[in-house]
Amino acid sequence: MKHPSAWQKAELHAHLQHALDLELWTIPLYLCSLFSIRGLAKTKHADYPEAAKLILSVVIQEMLHAELVCNISHALGYHPRFHFPVYDPAKGIPFIHPSPQSLPQDIRGYQVKAHPLGHEALQLFCAIEFPHPNREIVWEKEQRYGTIAELYRAIQLGVAAHWDAYFVGRETNTLQKNAFKEYHNQNGRHHGFSIMIQSPEDAQRAVEAIIEQGEGADSGRVPADFRPPTPEKGKEFDTAWYRGNLSHYHKFRILLHSHQLLPPVYELAPEGGSVPAQAQLKEALSDLWKEMEASFGSAGEKMSEDFWTRMFALGSSLDAVWRSGACPDLELGSSGGMRHEKG
């Protein structure tokens, strides 16, 4: 691979698109397993079982990370596309190719497909969020990205090298979003990053936050600078920041090794479930993806009301398919964008 400092503009933009594709690829997959839990769609977030709270907190952070990638992209003059995810066992995790030898024995053999919450799903989730090795990368000798963190490390270097050439300028940088909770100044310390990307330092902190919160973090514990504030007593459960000291990988690994304590999930029916429920799910997914592209591509800090409506509707649609006795089909057809490239 090229050293990121030698990328051309198109290569920098392609890597930002890869990052967004990967962030968005995780969201339906995690939500699919989440809503396989019996009765979850009718349960208040605060009353979720522990496993559901952990998974939902990861999903919300994935949306935050998608927002950060979009903000960096727009700051550098690139308008990312919202490609429909493709879950192809033959192709594996998009853009990330961990060698089987690099993975712990207990997550080898994972399958890239939708699963009910259980051992198989958590093997896959751990493989996706697997920590990067603590090593110096010689980019010219690499053939592929082994972890999410390696992809983001390359993006960090590419952004640093090309910021001055491609930054659109503050007056033109009007597509920045601030829809998901940011870290607050706590005891005089600025935590992690600024969501609004207006400088190379903002971009570097944003990428570092994505890595350290779990998508390739090299530690089970999120460093203090990338954690949310300590919640007030009585408000310990916050949808986005539940157990924010734990990385995504560590959250999933805890569940992998306590799967006997996971909540009950819906059973699959021999006849295959409801065709209308599956059709409704595909429509809900398609509507959400189109709305995300429209919202992230429009001026102003907030997402549209339609985005939030469609986001919450997706859980109900997934639940309806599981209740009918089928595993949700997350495929929406080829969008021409989810290519599994080596960078």
Side-chain angles (χ1 to χ4, degrees), residues 206-266:
V207 175
E208 196 69 28
I210 293 172
I211 294 171
E212 294 295 354
Q213 287 172 9
E215 300 187 313
D218 60 5
S219 171
R221 302 283 171 171
V222 176
D225 282 353
F226 299 98
R227 295 180 194 172
T230 302
E232 299 175 22
K233 188 174 181 179
K235 298 181 180 179
E236 286 78 8
F237 175 61
D238 182 288
T239 306
W241 304 129
Y242 183 67
R243 299 192 70 179
N245 63 312
L246 301 180
S247 69
H248 295 182
Y249 176 76
H250 196 48
K251 288 178 180 180
F252 289 143
R253 194 155 184 84
I254 287 172
L255 296 178
L256 178 68
H257 288 283
S258 58
H259 59 271
Q260 71 278 8
L261 302 178
L262 295 178
V265 298
Y266 293 111

Coordinates of all heavy atoms in Angstrom, one line a residue, residues 206-266:
A206 N -10.9 13.5 16.6 CA -12.1 12.8 16.2 C -11.7 11.3 15.8 O -12.3 10.4 16.3 CB -12.8 13.5 15.1
V207 N -10.7 11.2 15.0 CA -10.3 9.8 14.6 C -9.7 9.1 15.8 O -10.0 7.9 16.0 CB -9.2 9.9 13.5 CG1 -8.6 8.5 13.2 CG2 -9.7 10.5 12.3
E208 N -9.0 9.7 16.7 CA -8.5 9.1 17.9 C -9.6 8.6 18.8 O -9.5 7.5 19.4 CB -7.6 10.0 18.7 CG -6.7 9.4 19.7 CD -5.6 8.5 19.0 OE1 -5.2 8.8 17.9 OE2 -5.2 7.5 19.7
A209 N -10.7 9.4 18.9 CA -11.8 9.0 19.7 C -12.5 7.8 19.1 O -12.9 6.9 19.9 CB -12.8 10.1 19.8
I210 N -12.6 7.7 17.8 CA -13.2 6.5 17.2 C -12.4 5.3 17.5 O -13.0 4.2 17.9 CB -13.3 6.7 15.6 CG1 -14.3 7.8 15.3 CG2 -13.7 5.4 15.0 CD1 -14.3 8.2 13.8
I211 N -11.1 5.4 17.4 CA -10.2 4.2 17.7 C -10.3 3.9 19.2 O -10.5 2.7 19.5 CB -8.8 4.6 17.3 CG1 -8.6 4.7 15.8 CG2 -7.8 3.5 17.8 CD1 -7.3 5.3 15.4
E212 N -10.2 4.8 20.1 CA -10.1 4.5 21.5 C -11.4 4.1 22.1 O -11.4 3.4 23.1 CB -9.6 5.8 22.2 CG -8.1 6.1 21.9 CD -7.1 5.1 22.3 OE1 -7.5 4.1 23.0 OE2 -5.9 5.2 21.9
Q213 N -12.5 4.5 21.5 CA -13.8 4.0 22.1 C -14.1 2.6 21.7 O -15.1 2.0 22.3 CB -14.9 4.9 21.5 CG -14.9 6.3 22.2 CD -15.9 7.3 21.6 OE1 -16.8 6.9 20.8 NE2 -15.8 8.5 22.0
G214 N -13.3 2.0 20.8 CA -13.5 0.6 20.7 C -13.3 0.0 19.4 O -13.2 -1.3 19.2
E215 N -13.2 0.7 18.3 CA -13.1 0.2 17.0 C -11.7 -0.1 16.7 O -11.1 0.6 15.8 CB -13.8 1.1 15.9 CG -15.3 1.2 16.3 CD -16.0 2.0 15.2 OE1 -15.5 3.0 14.8 OE2 -17.1 1.5 14.8
G216 N -11.1 -1.0 17.4 CA -9.7 -1.3 17.3 C -8.9 -0.8 18.4 O -7.6 -0.7 18.4
A217 N -9.5 -0.4 19.5 CA -8.8 0.1 20.7 C -7.8 -1.0 21.2 O -8.1 -2.2 21.1 CB -9.7 0.5 21.8
D218 N -6.6 -0.6 21.6 CA -5.7 -1.6 22.0 C -5.8 -1.9 23.5 O -4.9 -2.5 24.1 CB -4.2 -1.1 21.7 CG -3.8 0.2 22.3 OD1 -4.6 0.7 23.1 OD2 -2.7 0.7 22.0
S219 N -6.8 -1.4 24.2 CA -7.0 -1.7 25.6 C -8.5 -1.9 25.8 O -9.4 -1.4 25.1 CB -6.6 -0.4 26.4 OG -6.9 -0.6 27.7
G220 N -8.8 -2.7 26.9 CA -10.2 -2.9 27.2 C -10.8 -1.7 27.8 O -12.0 -1.6 27.9
R221 N -10.0 -0.8 28.3 CA -10.5 0.4 29.0 C -10.3 1.6 28.1 O -9.2 1.8 27.6 CB -9.8 0.6 30.4 CG -10.0 -0.6 31.3 CD -11.4 -0.6 31.9 NE -11.6 -1.9 32.6 CZ -12.7 -2.1 33.4 NH1 -13.6 -1.2 33.6 NH2 -12.8 -3.2 34.0
V222 N -11.3 2.4 27.9 CA -11.2 3.6 27.2 C -10.4 4.6 28.0 O -10.8 4.9 29.1 CB -12.6 4.2 26.8 CG1 -12.5 5.5 26.1 CG2 -13.4 3.1 26.0
P223 N -9.4 5.2 27.4 CA -8.6 6.3 28.1 C -9.5 7.4 28.6 O -10.6 7.7 28.0 CB -7.6 6.8 27.1 CG -7.5 5.6 26.1 CD -8.8 5.0 26.1
A224 N -9.2 8.0 29.7 CA -10.0 9.0 30.4 C -10.4 10.1 29.4 O -11.5 10.7 29.5 CB -9.3 9.6 31.6
D225 N -9.5 10.5 28.5 CA -9.8 11.7 27.6 C -10.9 11.3 26.6 O -11.4 12.2 25.9 CB -8.6 12.1 26.9 CG -7.7 13.0 27.8 OD1 -8.1 13.3 29.0 OD2 -6.6 13.3 27.4
F226 N -11.2 10.1 26.5 CA -12.2 9.7 25.5 C -13.5 9.0 26.1 O -14.2 8.4 25.4 CB -11.6 8.7 24.4 CG -10.5 9.4 23.7 CD1 -9.2 9.2 24.1 CD2 -10.7 10.3 22.6 CE1 -8.1 9.8 23.4 CE2 -9.7 10.9 22.0 CZ -8.4 10.6 22.3
R227 N -13.6 9.3 27.4 CA -14.8 8.7 28.1 C -15.8 9.9 28.2 O -15.5 11.0 28.3 CB -14.4 8.2 29.5 CG -13.5 7.1 29.5 CD -13.3 6.7 31.0 NE -12.2 5.8 31.1 CZ -11.6 5.4 32.2 NH1 -12.1 5.9 33.4 NH2 -10.6 4.6 32.3
P228 N -17.1 9.5 28.4 CA -18.1 10.5 28.7 C -18.0 10.9 30.2 O -17.2 10.3 30.9 CB -19.4 9.8 28.5 CG -19.1 8.3 28.8 CD -17.7 8.2 28.2
P229 N -18.6 12.0 30.5 CA -18.6 12.4 31.9 C -19.2 11.3 32.8 O -20.0 10.5 32.4 CB -19.4 13.7 32.0 CG -19.5 14.1 30.6 CD -19.4 12.9 29.7
T230 N -18.8 11.3 34.1 CA -19.4 10.4 35.0 C -20.9 10.8 35.2 O -21.2 11.9 35.5 CB -18.7 10.5 36.4 OG1 -17.3 10.2 36.2 CG2 -19.3 9.5 37.4
P231 N -21.8 9.8 35.1 CA -23.2 10.2 35.2 C -23.6 10.5 36.6 O -23.0 10.1 37.6 CB -23.9 8.9 34.7 CG -23.0 7.8 35.0 CD -21.6 8.4 34.7
E232 N -24.6 11.4 36.7 CA -25.2 11.7 38.0 C -25.8 10.5 38.6 O -26.3 9.6 38.0 CB -26.2 12.9 37.8 CG -25.6 14.1 37.2 CD -26.7 15.2 37.0 OE1 -27.8 15.1 37.7 OE2 -26.5 16.1 36.1
K233 N -25.9 10.5 39.9 CA -26.5 9.5 40.7 C -28.0 9.4 40.3 O -28.7 10.4 40.2 CB -26.4 9.7 42.2 CG -26.9 8.5 43.0 CD -26.6 8.7 44.5 CE -27.1 7.5 45.3 NZ -26.8 7.7 46.7
G234 N -28.5 8.2 40.0 CA -29.8 8.1 39.6 C -30.0 8.1 38.1 O -31.1 7.8 37.5
K235 N -29.0 8.5 37.4 CA -29.0 8.6 35.9 C -27.9 7.8 35.3 O -27.3 8.2 34.3 CB -28.9 10.1 35.5 CG -30.0 11.0 36.0 CD -29.9 12.4 35.5 CE -31.0 13.3 36.0 NZ -30.9 14.7 35.5
E236 N -27.6 6.7 35.9 CA -26.5 5.8 35.5 C -26.6 5.3 34.1 O -25.7 5.1 33.4 CB -26.3 4.7 36.4 CG -25.6 5.1 37.8 CD -26.6 5.7 38.7 OE1 -27.8 5.7 38.4 OE2 -26.2 6.2 39.8
F237 N -27.9 5.1 33.6 CA -28.1 4.6 32.3 C -28.4 5.7 31.3 O -29.4 6.4 31.4 CB -29.2 3.6 32.2 CG -29.5 3.1 30.8 CD1 -28.5 2.5 30.0 CD2 -30.7 3.4 30.1 CE1 -28.7 2.1 28.7 CE2 -30.9 3.0 28.8 CZ -29.9 2.4 28.1
D238 N -27.4 6.0 30.5 CA -27.6 6.9 29.4 C -27.4 6.1 28.1 O -26.4 5.4 28.0 CB -26.6 8.1 29.5 CG -26.7 9.1 28.4 OD1 -26.4 8.7 27.2 OD2 -27.2 10.2 28.7
T239 N -28.3 6.2 27.2 CA -28.3 5.4 26.0 C -27.0 5.4 25.3 O -26.5 4.4 24.9 CB -29.4 5.9 25.0 OG1 -30.7 5.9 25.7 CG2 -29.5 4.9 23.8
A240 N -26.4 6.6 25.1 CA -25.2 6.7 24.3 C -23.9 6.3 25.2 O -23.0 5.7 24.6 CB -25.0 8.1 23.8
W241 N -23.9 6.6 26.4 CA -22.7 6.5 27.2 C -22.7 5.4 28.3 O -21.9 5.5 29.2 CB -22.4 7.9 27.8 CG -22.3 9.0 26.9 CD1 -23.0 10.2 26.9 CD2 -21.6 9.0 25.7 NE1 -22.7 10.9 25.8 CE2 -21.8 10.3 25.1 CE3 -20.7 8.1 25.0 CZ2 -21.2 10.6 23.9 CZ3 -20.1 8.5 23.8 CH2 -20.4 9.7 23.3
Y242 N -23.6 4.4 28.2 CA -23.6 3.4 29.2 C -22.3 2.7 29.3 O -21.7 2.2 28.3 CB -24.7 2.4 28.8 CG -24.9 1.4 29.9 CD1 -25.4 1.7 31.2 CD2 -24.6 0.0 29.6 CE1 -25.6 0.7 32.1 CE2 -24.8 -1.0 30.6 CZ -25.3 -0.6 31.8 OH -25.4 -1.6 32.8
R243 N -21.7 2.6 30.5 CA -20.4 2.0 30.8 C -19.4 2.5 29.7 O -18.7 1.7 29.1 CB -20.6 0.5 30.8 CG -21.5 0.0 31.9 CD -21.5 -1.5 32.1 NE -20.2 -1.9 32.7 CZ -19.8 -3.1 33.0 NH1 -20.7 -4.1 32.8 NH2 -18.7 -3.4 33.6
G244 N -19.3 3.8 29.6 CA -18.4 4.4 28.7 C -17.0 4.2 28.9 O -16.1 4.6 28.1
N245 N -16.6 3.6 30.0 CA -15.2 3.3 30.3 C -14.7 2.1 29.5 O -13.6 1.7 29.5 CB -14.9 3.1 31.8 CG -15.7 2.0 32.4 OD1 -16.9 1.8 32.1 ND2 -15.0 1.1 33.1
L246 N -15.7 1.3 29.0 CA -15.4 0.1 28.3 C -15.4 0.3 26.8 O -16.3 0.9 26.2 CB -16.4 -1.0 28.6 CG -16.5 -1.4 30.1 CD1 -17.5 -2.5 30.3 CD2 -15.1 -1.9 30.7
S247 N -14.4 -0.3 26.1 CA -14.4 -0.2 24.6 C -15.4 -1.2 24.0 O -16.0 -2.0 24.7 CB -13.0 -0.7 24.1 OG -12.8 -2.1 24.3
H248 N -15.8 -0.9 22.8 CA -16.7 -1.8 22.1 C -16.3 -3.3 22.2 O -17.1 -4.2 22.5 CB -16.9 -1.4 20.6 CG -17.4 0.0 20.4 ND1 -17.6 0.5 19.2 CD2 -17.8 0.9 21.3 CE1 -18.1 1.7 19.3 NE2 -18.2 2.0 20.6
Y249 N -15.1 -3.5 21.9 CA -14.6 -4.9 21.9 C -14.7 -5.5 23.3 O -15.2 -6.7 23.4 CB -13.1 -4.9 21.5 CG -12.4 -6.3 21.6 CD1 -12.7 -7.2 20.6 CD2 -11.6 -6.6 22.7 CE1 -12.1 -8.5 20.7 CE2 -11.0 -7.9 22.7 CZ -11.3 -8.8 21.8 OH -10.7 -10.1 21.8
H250 N -14.4 -4.7 24.3 CA -14.5 -5.3 25.7 C -16.0 -5.5 26.1 O -16.3 -6.5 26.7 CB -13.9 -4.3 26.7 CG -13.6 -4.9 28.0 ND1 -13.0 -6.1 28.2 CD2 -13.9 -4.4 29.3 CE1 -12.9 -6.4 29.5 NE2 -13.4 -5.4 30.2
K251 N -16.9 -4.7 25.6 CA -18.3 -4.9 25.9 C -18.8 -6.2 25.3 O -19.5 -7.0 25.9 CB -19.1 -3.7 25.4 CG -19.0 -2.4 26.2 CD -19.8 -1.3 25.6 CE -19.7 0.0 26.4 NZ -20.4 1.1 25.9
F252 N -18.4 -6.4 24.0 CA -18.8 -7.6 23.3 C -18.1 -8.9 23.9 O -18.8 -9.9 24.0 CB -18.6 -7.5 21.8 CG -19.5 -6.6 21.1 CD1 -19.0 -5.8 20.1 CD2 -20.8 -6.5 21.4 CE1 -19.8 -4.9 19.4 CE2 -21.6 -5.6 20.8 CZ -21.1 -4.8 19.7
R253 N -16.9 -8.7 24.3 CA -16.2 -9.9 24.9 C -16.8 -10.3 26.2 O -16.8 -11.5 26.6 CB -14.7 -9.6 25.0 CG -13.9 -10.8 25.2 CD -12.5 -10.6 24.8 NE -11.7 -11.9 25.0 CZ -11.7 -12.9 24.1 NH1 -12.4 -12.8 23.0 NH2 -11.1 -14.0 24.3
I254 N -17.2 -9.3 27.0 CA -17.9 -9.6 28.3 C -19.1 -10.5 28.0 O -19.4 -11.5 28.6 CB -18.3 -8.4 29.0 CG1 -17.1 -7.7 29.6 CG2 -19.3 -8.7 30.1 CD1 -17.4 -6.3 30.2
L255 N -19.9 -10.1 27.0 CA -21.1 -10.8 26.6 C -20.8 -12.2 26.0 O -21.5 -13.2 26.3 CB -22.0 -10.0 25.7 CG -22.5 -8.7 26.2 CD1 -23.3 -8.0 25.1 CD2 -23.4 -8.9 27.4
L256 N -19.7 -12.3 25.3 CA -19.3 -13.6 24.7 C -19.0 -14.6 25.8 O -19.4 -15.8 25.6 CB -18.1 -13.3 23.8 CG -17.5 -14.6 23.2 CD1 -18.4 -15.1 22.1 CD2 -16.1 -14.3 22.6
H257 N -18.5 -14.1 26.9 CA -18.1 -15.1 27.9 C -19.1 -15.2 29.0 O -18.9 -15.8 30.1 CB -16.7 -14.7 28.5 CG -15.6 -15.0 27.5 ND1 -15.2 -16.3 27.3 CD2 -14.9 -14.3 26.6 CE1 -14.2 -16.3 26.3 NE2 -14.1 -15.1 25.9
S258 N -20.3 -14.5 28.8 CA -21.4 -14.7 29.8 C -22.7 -15.0 29.0 O -23.7 -14.6 29.4 CB -21.6 -13.5 30.6 OG -21.8 -12.3 29.9
H259 N -22.5 -15.7 27.8 CA -23.6 -15.9 26.9 C -24.7 -16.7 27.6 O -25.9 -16.7 27.2 CB -23.2 -16.5 25.6 CG -22.5 -17.8 25.7 ND1 -21.2 -17.9 25.9 CD2 -23.0 -19.1 25.7 CE1 -20.8 -19.2 25.9 NE2 -21.9 -19.9 25.8
Q260 N -24.4 -17.5 28.6 CA -25.4 -18.3 29.2 C -26.3 -17.4 30.0 O -27.4 -17.8 30.4 CB -24.8 -19.4 30.2 CG -24.1 -18.8 31.4 CD -22.7 -18.3 31.2 OE1 -22.3 -18.2 30.0 NE2 -22.0 -17.9 32.2
L261 N -25.9 -16.2 30.3 CA -26.8 -15.2 31.0 C -27.5 -14.2 30.1 O -28.2 -13.3 30.6 CB -25.9 -14.4 32.0 CG -25.1 -15.3 33.0 CD1 -24.3 -14.4 33.9 CD2 -26.1 -16.1 33.9
L262 N -27.4 -14.4 28.8 CA -28.0 -13.5 27.8 C -29.6 -13.7 27.9 O -30.1 -14.8 28.2 CB -27.6 -13.8 26.4 CG -26.1 -13.5 26.1 CD1 -25.7 -13.9 24.7 CD2 -25.7 -12.0 26.4
P263 N -30.3 -12.6 27.6 CA -31.8 -12.7 27.7 C -32.3 -13.6 26.6 O -31.6 -13.9 25.6 CB -32.2 -11.3 27.5 CG -31.1 -10.6 26.8 CD -29.9 -11.3 27.3
P264 N -33.5 -14.2 26.8 CA -34.0 -15.1 25.7 C -34.3 -14.4 24.4 O -34.7 -13.2 24.4 CB -35.3 -15.6 26.4 CG -35.7 -14.6 27.4 CD -34.4 -14.1 27.9
V265 N -34.2 -15.1 23.3 CA -34.4 -14.5 22.0 C -35.5 -15.2 21.3 O -35.9 -16.3 21.7 CB -33.1 -14.5 21.1 CG1 -32.0 -13.7 21.8 CG2 -32.7 -16.0 20.9
Y266 N -36.0 -14.6 20.2 CA -37.1 -15.3 19.5 C -36.6 -16.5 18.8 O -35.4 -16.6 18.4 CB -37.6 -14.3 18.4 CG -38.4 -13.1 19.0 CD1 -37.9 -11.8 18.9 CD2 -39.6 -13.3 19.6 CE1 -38.5 -10.7 19.4 CE2 -40.3 -12.2 20.1 CZ -39.7 -10.9 20.0 OH -40.4 -9.9 20.5

